[in-house]
Amino acid sequence: MKKELITLGLLILFPVLFAQQVTIPIATENSTLLLETDRDMRLRTVYFGKTLRDPIEYALVSEGYQYFDSNAGIYNAAYTPAGTWNISEPAIQVVHGDGNASLDLKYLSHTQEVLDENTTITRIVLGDELYPLRVSLHYKTWKHENVIEQWAEIEHEESLPVLLKKFASSNLYFTNKEFYLITFHNSWAKEMQPAETKLSRGIRSVDSKLGTRAMLLQAPHFILSFDQPAAENQGSVILGQLAWSGNFKLDFEVDSYDNLRLIAGINPYASEYLLPKNEIFRTPSLIYAISHHGTGEASRGLHSWARKYRVLDGQGERLTLLNNWEATYFGFDEQKIAALFKDAKELGVDLFLLDDGWFGNKYPRNNDRAGLGDWQENVKKLPNGIGYLVSEAEKEGVKFGIWIEPEMVNPKSELYENHIDWVVRQPDRPEKYFRNQLVLDLSNPEVQDFVFGVVDELFTENPKLAFIKWDCNAPIFNAYSAYLDRNDIPQSHLYIDYVRGLYKVLERVRAKYPTVPMMLCSGGGGRGDYEILKYFTEFWPSDDTEPIERIFMQWDYSYFFPAIVTDNHVTNWGKQPLKFRVDVASMGKLGFDIVAGDLTAEEMEFCKQAVGNYHSFKEVIWHGDLYRLVNPHENDFSALMFVEANKSRAIMFNYLVNNRYMMTATEEPIRLDGLDARKKYHIKEINLFPGTRSRINADKVYSGDFLMKVGVNPAISLRRTSVILEITEAME
Ligand code: DGJ
């Protein structure tokens, strides 16, 4: 079928025999990015807006624009080169083998290949007339989801290597006149704090220089809205992300026409890359979803794309779990862990997850100051090894998973003693630690083998191991690689080769273990992007599990990620009642990180019932469409709902997020969304704490039309701070 479609597909090649104008529409269902050559065959962006009904008319678009060559440079170049007559912020800057730093890119050819009914890839080759250097711009589009993935490939045939000083993934141009940008800023336990700015002249940059997990301080995701601040159900918006798990840079520049240039890619900071002849330098991708009806529709497009095309097993199942981290920290032994399997069973979750602290013998991992890197079971804590725990868990009827942090090392470890040259550190400067640890040098293939070996050994020795939590807590300080030095590779390759090394390891892991679920964790800051999520089934958004904070954080993550990839655990953070904590954690992939034995009988009864409910509605959360209804940033309460594809069932979550006494109750109904106006629905409150009664009458029947125009009042108040409603189609 696919082959047929490919052969049916449009394959166009335009060699530049005659310098005639070339117009290239890159279209999704709702939007088109239009590129066109000028009279000198330089490629420009001439339009980014709603898709035209008649594609023939794209050739007429540029007639209406009269930009004169500006002394400030080429603003709307599709990929702005540096060193010739452009003097605006470049997308690419190189030094040729002979030391010359000039580059001018002109259109050479392009192809558009239809991969299937939904997916098209456009490749455009640009080249320099003086030097044999080419840049291929790639645009992959998913029509129905309105998602575009964009990257560049740089190669040359010069006899000496070319130094790449800047190498953006994408260079976009928007001619609307007002631009609003939301970016997300963090620190540990405060991830994804949104900041909205109206862009004005000049460049606003968001970047990371952390080396490893990209998101501790600023996130690579953004919301760009046109002509008005971002709104949930109206206006043109782009939800974007640089899919790269290392240093990134996003530059938003309002030029002298009041148009917006967006240049996004790997952060060029300390990252000059020496490119040998005939080797292709592929940039990471900028991925974005577009909507002309606000952030809600854009998120649903992005979520559906992520589940179908990107995240590992995005359309599959996930395992609910009990994690022992906050229950025991490092203080456990075999008996204590085995006893927790019963709790997992009683709660009704699928898996028990053993966290940090199970390894290291010469330097036992009894706190975070020692043992990281020595991945042998600690014989005192686990005399019978992991295998024993796996089979004990199985006897209880739960699966077993394990925590690792294989990219890192404590200086107090055998790994550090034996392989100090595997550690990223400046040999002649004092070491600087983050959580008492350092980063291993993944640019080194031996280190890649080691990290792969950690995972491989665990699976080889314990074939029934069902889950991995892959942590990553330190950024790169004192960036220096002994391996690069030994091999005469410039040190400025380290940041890029680290991430590529990580991806190589993950490729190998997935080639051998394609399906086992893995959680991507990075306690300090979160680590989640659409490149690394090709290898992971889910990620840990933050150590902050205080449920009110989580309502905000999960709301903000939900712009970019579907609920199936965000892991939410019930913990003892904060003062909210257990029901509130469980309800909030149920809005993604549910887990527990509590001492279940400390729960009262009533609390345990509630948890069992809530886990049972979760199992009954998880399909809707994982694979349904998300509708954000009441924004916690703007209101005293918050509401959102997930709707099954056939609109027969939905789950609505409602919370009080302001405990001031003035906020007494939800006074008005909340309008629902995403239902079928013609269908009739029952509304039933679920996850009631034992002994409490619902204020919602489950016998009543409402039309979808009514629920979406008038709504329902979940009766949130200081006494009912968390309410889950199940909306089910009423059978006549
Ligand atoms: C940070 C993670 O976020 C926690 O959940 C836990 O796994 C610790 N690391 C273990 O060191």
Side-chain angles (χ1 to χ4, degrees), residues 250-322:
L250 311 171
D251 280 331
F252 300 86
E253 177 182 18
V254 177
D255 69 16
S256 53
Y257 297 107
D258 283 326
N259 293 332
L260 180 68
R261 308 178 71 229
L262 165 53
I263 296 182
I266 290 179
N267 195 341
Y269 163 77
S271 293
E272 291 183 347
Y273 209 90
L274 208 52
L275 185 68
K277 183 177 177 173
N278 291 332
E279 194 177 300
I280 296 176
F281 183 94
R282 180 181 167 151
T283 71
S285 298
L286 181 76
I287 292 166
Y288 47 98
I290 315 147
S291 165
H292 302 291
H293 300 104
T295 45
E297 186 185 79
S299 286
R300 286 186 289 280
L302 194 55
H303 293 175
S304 147
W305 168 83
R307 285 189 301 252
K308 266 200 223 147
Y309 301 107
R310 200 62 171 206
V311 174
L312 188 84
D313 201 18
Q315 303 193 92
E317 299 287 301
R318 296 294 184 268
L319 298 169
T320 54
L321 58 82
L322 173 65

Side-chain angles (χ1 to χ4, degrees), residues 188 323-333 336-337 340 353-358 365-368 381 435 543 545 571-573 593 595:
W188 177 74
N323 189 186
N324 71 306
W325 174 240
E326 293 188 19
T328 65
Y329 293 103
F330 296 96
F332 59 81
D333 58 19
K336 206 165 177 181
I337 293 300
L340 298 176
L353 170 61
L354 175 61
D355 213 283
D356 197 355
W358 57 267
R365 179 79 169 165
N366 291 330
N367 51 53
D368 63 16
K381 284 180 176 169
R435 205 188 184 215
D543 276 350
T545 46
T571 70
N572 287 327
W573 282 50
D593 201 341
V595 186

Side-chain angles (χ1 to χ4, degrees), residues 690-704:
T692 55
R693 287 190 31 224
S694 177
R695 301 264 311 272
I696 308 293
N697 181 345
D699 297 330
K700 283 199 178 159
V701 173
Y702 305 89
S703 69

Side-chain angles (χ1 to χ4, degrees), residues 64-88:
Y65 292 86
Q66 293 192 44
Y67 297 132
F68 302 105
D69 284 345
S70 159
N71 287 332
I74 322 166
Y75 287 141
N76 64 344
Y79 201 69
T80 317
T84 44
W85 51 278
N86 164 59
I87 45 175
S88 61

